[in-house]
């Protein structure tokens, strides 16, 4: 990260904030995932954490330590506050254990393999345009402009297609159970 | 609003395809609804399981896009302006519908064809007359307010992307957009003023005030 971007972040400038966000979104997300099991709660907490980071950016002092540590501490504290506000006891959080806990366990790996196989089965039953969208990675984090270009459709249509595909996946007897 | 309506919206929320006021509205609902939250969690988990790290990055970008920075478009006002709310309330309104404009929505569940350059959302509000004919009250966008008599029956038609949702006060209706304007669907009795908000599947939004004649 450029010193100018860091300084812009400290001044509360949007450009600096966005640079910090893109650099450290995954770090902050990992902390929040330790505290919140529900994806919806994670989303809410992440929004809260990042807005706090933006409001408190002037309190970050580079001489005291790296930005990532400041962000992680802020995230952990906000999560504790949010959980306590809901009457729940925060989990123990060990920052050092962060990295190794990110590796998927055997269960998760097995679930992913099962999911991949079920997805292939689903793709075989889909109309050509939907199967093409699935293969183009519309549920895999490929950007809408890329999917739209690959399929010869516009971005709005790719968003619509994505929503429809997700609904299909959720209705699939095997795939739909992945989140239960 | 029906359970089906919310399920579809929750899935759209989890897919990251909702934007603006509609995104905030559905998110607010999910926050207080255990069933919708569980459905959202499941949908996100499936999305992550399918897409892995790419989806995580995509969700980060979605979060960045919805952070409420100062200077970003403010939350559109919903509901009634207090000064215009009569003490006696009842439910109102009016509208809707017509059929498909979007080729994907033809057939069992859509996803057909490729309609390049989809038109932005447009809606028209009509007054139902005794003769059975419809008199045009206003066109959205463009008309800031329409005036109707209390108890008058009105209808709506819309051109837009796929499913169109209209709200007036507590009333929410789902319709499908048409290829051409034609008052269709149920006529509704207006008994209270408010803000008519019409959104389509692509997140476009038009609105106008519905005022009562004195």
């Amino acid at each position: 990260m450029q010193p100018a971007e860091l300084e812009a972040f400290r001044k509360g400038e949007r450009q600096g904030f966005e640079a910090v966000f893109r650099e450290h979104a995954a770090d902050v997300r990992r902390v929040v995932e330790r505290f919140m099991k529900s994806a919806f709660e994670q989303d809410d907490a992440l929004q809260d954490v990042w807005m706090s980071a933006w409001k408190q950016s002037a309190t970050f002092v580079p001489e005291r330590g790296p930005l990532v540590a400041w962000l992680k501490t802020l995230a952990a504290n906000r999560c504790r506050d949010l959980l306590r506000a809901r009457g729940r006891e925060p989990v123990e959080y060990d920052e050092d254990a962060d990295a190794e806990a990110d590796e998927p366990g055997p269960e998760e790996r097995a679930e992913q393999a099962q999911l991949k196989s079920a997805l292939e089965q689903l793709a075989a039953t889909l109309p050509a345009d939907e199967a093409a969208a699935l293969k183009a990675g519309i549920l895999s984090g490929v950007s809408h402009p890329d999917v739209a270009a690959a399929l010869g459709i516009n971005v709005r249509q790719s968003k619509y297609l994505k929503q429809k595909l997700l609904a299909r996946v959720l209705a699939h007897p095997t795939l739909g159970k992945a989140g239960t | 609003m029906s359970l089906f309506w919310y399920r579809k919206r929750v899935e759209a929320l989890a897919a990251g395809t909702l934007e603006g006021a509609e995104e905030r509205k559905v998110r607010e609902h999910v926050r207080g609804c255990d069933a919708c939250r569980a459905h959202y969690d499941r949908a996100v988990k499936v999305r992550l399981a399918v897409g892995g790290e790419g989806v995580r990055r995509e969700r980060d970008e979605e979060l960045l896009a919805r952070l409420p920075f100062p200077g970003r478009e403010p939350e559109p006002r919903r509901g009634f302006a207090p000064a215009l709310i009569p003490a006696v309330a009842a439910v109102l309104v009016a509208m809707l519908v017509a059929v498909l404009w979007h080729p994907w929505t033809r057939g069992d569940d859509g996803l057909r064809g490729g309609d390049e350059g989809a038109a932005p959302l447009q809606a028209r509000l009509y007054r139902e007359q005794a003769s059975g004919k419809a008199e045009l009250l206003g066109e959205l966008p463009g008309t800031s307010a329409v005036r109707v008599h209390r108890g008058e029956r009105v209808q709506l038609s819309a051109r837009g992307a796929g499913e169109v949702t209209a709200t007036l006060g507590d009333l929410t209706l789902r319709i499908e957009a048409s290829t051409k304007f034609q008052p269709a669907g149920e006529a509704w009795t207006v008994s209270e003023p408010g803000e008519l908000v019409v959104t389509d599947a692509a997140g476009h939004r038009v609105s106008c005030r519905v005022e009562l004649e004195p």
Side-chain angles (χ1 to χ4, degrees), chain A residues 86-159:
Chain A
R86 292 171 197 158
R88 286 152 57 184
E89 192 57 34
V91 295
E92 289 293 323
Y93 171 66
D94 179 3
E95 210 170 288
D96 296 335
D98 224 16
E100 51 192 81
D102 281 335
E103 293 298 317
E107 270 185 33
E108 202 177 334
R109 282 201 296 271
E111 186 179 71
Q112 282 172 357
Q114 187 188 20
L115 202 59
K116 202 164 259 183
S117 159
L119 266 179
E120 282 165 15
Q121 288 170 23
L122 173 66
T125 66
L126 293 177
D129 51 357
E130 296 176 41
L134 200 59
K135 286 173 185 165
I138 200 164
L139 291 178
S140 308
V142 176
S143 75
H144 284 293
D146 288 347
V147 170
L151 298 180
I153 58 178
N154 63 35
V155 169
R156 190 161 61 173
Q157 287 168 329
S158 88
K159 288 185 176 181

Side-chain angles (χ1 to χ4, degrees), chain B residues 3 8 18 38 40 44 56 68 81 104 110 117 127-128 131 144-145 147 152 162 174 192 200 207 214:
Chain B
L3 181 62
K8 285 196 72 176
L18 292 186
Y40 178 92
V44 168
R56 285 191 172 82
W104 286 357
R127 169 185 285 135
E128 192 182 63
S131 64
S144 59
R147 294 179 77 84
E152 200 158 46
R174 278 177 55 234
E192 205 172 319
D200 70 7
S207 65

Side-chain angles (χ1 to χ4, degrees), chain B residues 5-20:
Chain B
W5 188 91
Y6 272 117
R7 274 184 78 91
K8 285 196 72 176
R9 286 297 174 279
V10 168
E11 285 166 11
L13 185 69
T17 56
L18 292 186
E19 293 170 358

